[in-house]
Amino acid sequence: MYRKFLIAGNWKMNNSISESVSLIESINKKISDVRNVDVLVCPSFVSLSEVHKNIGRSLIMLGAQNMYPEAKGAFTGEVSYPMLRDCGVSYVILGHSERRELFKESNEFINKKVLVALNNNLRPILCIGESEAERERGETFDVLDKELKECLRDVPADQMKNLVIAYEPIWAIGTGKTATPQIAQEVHSHIRKTLEGLFDHNVADATRILYGGSMKASNAEELLKQPDIDGGLIGGASLQSTEFCQIIETANKLA
Ligand code: PGA
C-alpha cells in the first residue's frame, strides 16, 4: 500500500504573526518543486488567518494545534471547529502529550474531539506516546494500545482515511533524544497491528503513522526509510525553514 508522506510542523506557542508570515513565505519559496509529499504547518491560533493568506497557491496545508469539541458557546478561552474551518484549517493536532500532561486532557476528552473533528471535516492528527518511566517499566505497548482504543472509540472504519496517528515518545519530545529508527519502526509496526485489531487490515495498512520527537534534517532519512513511518510531526526543527525544508526534501526523495 502506498502511503504518501506527511511532513507536519508543530510551531507550538512560538512566533508572532509577522514571524509566522516570514516563516511560511520562506518555506513556500524553498519547496515550490516538491510534489510527492504532503506538507502541513500548525501555527498558533492567532497566526492562522495570516498564514493561510500567505500560503497562496502553494500546496501547503494548514493545521491547528488544538480544538474544543463544541461549535460555540460559553467556553471562555477555547476555539471551536467552525472557527478553525473559517481560518482555512484542514488538520487539527489532538491529544498532544503537552496537552495531556499540562492541561490534564484524558483519552475520553480526546476521543470526543476526534469524533467532532471527523464529523466536521477536520482531519485529526491523534498523538500517542509513552513516558520514559513507562518505557523503562516495559509498558510502552500497553500504554499505546489503551490510548488508541480509548481515543478511537466509535470512530467508523470509513472515517479512518481522514485521520493520522502521530507516535511521539514523550522522552524524545524537545529533548534532543530521538527514538532510534529501529525502536520507532518496532512501535509503528505494533500500532499498525493494533489498528488491525480495532478496525481491519485495510484500515491498518492505509493509515498514516507519523513519528515525532526531535526529528530533524540529520536524522529524518533514517527514520523515514522505515517501512511503517509515513512522515513526521516536527516541533523545534519546524521553526527554521532551512531545517524543515530539508526534511521535506528528504521525504520527497524517498517517496
Ligand atoms: P520536537 O517536538 O520535534 O521539538 O521534539 C515534536 C512535537 O512535540 O510534536
Side-chain angles (χ1 to χ4, degrees):
M1 169 75 173
Y2 170 72
R3 295 179 296 265
K4 193 174 187 184
F5 281 127
L6 171 63
I7 301 295
N10 174 9
W11 295 359
K12 306 195 180 182
M13 199 174 71
N14 294 294
N15 290 339
S16 63
I17 296 176
S18 63
E19 286 165 344
S20 301
V21 168
S22 308
L23 183 53
I24 196 67
E25 281 174 346
S26 167
I27 296 171
N28 252 334
K29 272 192 216 121
K30 291 194 171 85
I31 59 161
S32 54
D33 295 340
V34 168
R35 290 287 171 272
N36 304 328
V37 180
D38 284 338
V39 178
L40 176 74
V41 292
C42 305
S44 73
F45 289 137
V46 296
S47 294
L48 285 171
S49 281
E50 284 301 310
V51 170
H52 185 238
K53 280 185 210 151
N54 286 279
I55 281 177
R57 295 167 67 84
S58 81
L59 299 173
I60 300 175
M61 297 177 293
L62 190 64
Q65 298 172 19
N66 186 28
M67 178 203 87
Y68 195 76
E70 296 288 344
K72 62 177 182 175
F75 303 101
T76 303
E78 294 296 321
V79 176
S80 70
Y81 53 87
M83 294 170 183
L84 295 181
R85 293 200 44 84
D86 214 19
C87 295
V89 163
S90 50
Y91 280 83
V92 59
I93 298 172
L94 296 176
H96 191 282
S97 61
E98 286 151 14
R99 297 215 57 87
R100 291 175 186 264
E101 197 179 319
L102 300 170
F103 305 100
K104 308 292 170 241
E105 290 195 7
S106 64
N107 286 337
E108 196 185 354
F109 187 46
I110 296 162
N111 175 238
K112 197 168 171 200
K113 294 185 189 198
V114 166
L115 294 172
V116 168
L118 286 171
N119 284 334
N120 292 282
N121 291 321
L122 285 174
R123 297 169 173 228
I125 299 182
L126 170 65
C127 301
I128 57 172
E130 81 287 4
S131 67
E132 188 151 37
E134 287 162 344
R135 173 160 285 271
E136 274 165 11
R137 291 198 299 265
E139 295 169 3
T140 299
F141 290 169
D142 292 342
V143 168
L144 298 174
D145 288 355
K146 186 171 190 306
E147 288 183 332
L148 284 169
K149 186 168 164 239
E150 295 183 3
C151 295
L152 294 175
R153 182 165 289 146
D154 296 334
V155 172
D158 67 355
Q159 279 274 28
M160 281 297 288
K161 60 180 179 303
N162 296 317
L163 182 140
V164 175
I165 307 274
Y167 167 57
E168 299 207 309
I170 298 169
W171 47 271
I173 296 178
T175 57
K177 280 192 213 170
T178 318
T180 61
Q182 292 69 33
I183 291 181
Q185 168 55 28
E186 186 193 21
V187 174
H188 280 230
S189 143
H190 175 84
I191 292 170
R192 227 177 273 293
K193 275 202 205 85
T194 303
L195 291 176
E196 182 162 350
L198 292 174
F199 298 95
D200 58 39
H201 175 75
N202 291 343
V203 166
D205 197 31
T207 302
R208 287 195 286 192
I209 308 176
L210 313 185
Y211 170 79
S214 299
M215 193 191 247
K216 44 187 183 273
S218 59
N219 60 24
E221 176 154 0
E222 285 312 307
L223 288 160
L224 294 172
K225 267 185 182 162
Q226 304 303 315
D228 288 299
I229 299 185
D230 308 310
L233 180 56
I234 298 144
S238 73
L239 297 171
Q240 295 149 0
S241 68
T242 309
E243 186 80 14
F244 187 57
C245 293
Q246 272 175 26
I247 302 174
I248 295 167
E249 295 287 357
T250 300
N252 197 48
K253 186 184 77 187
L254 293 174

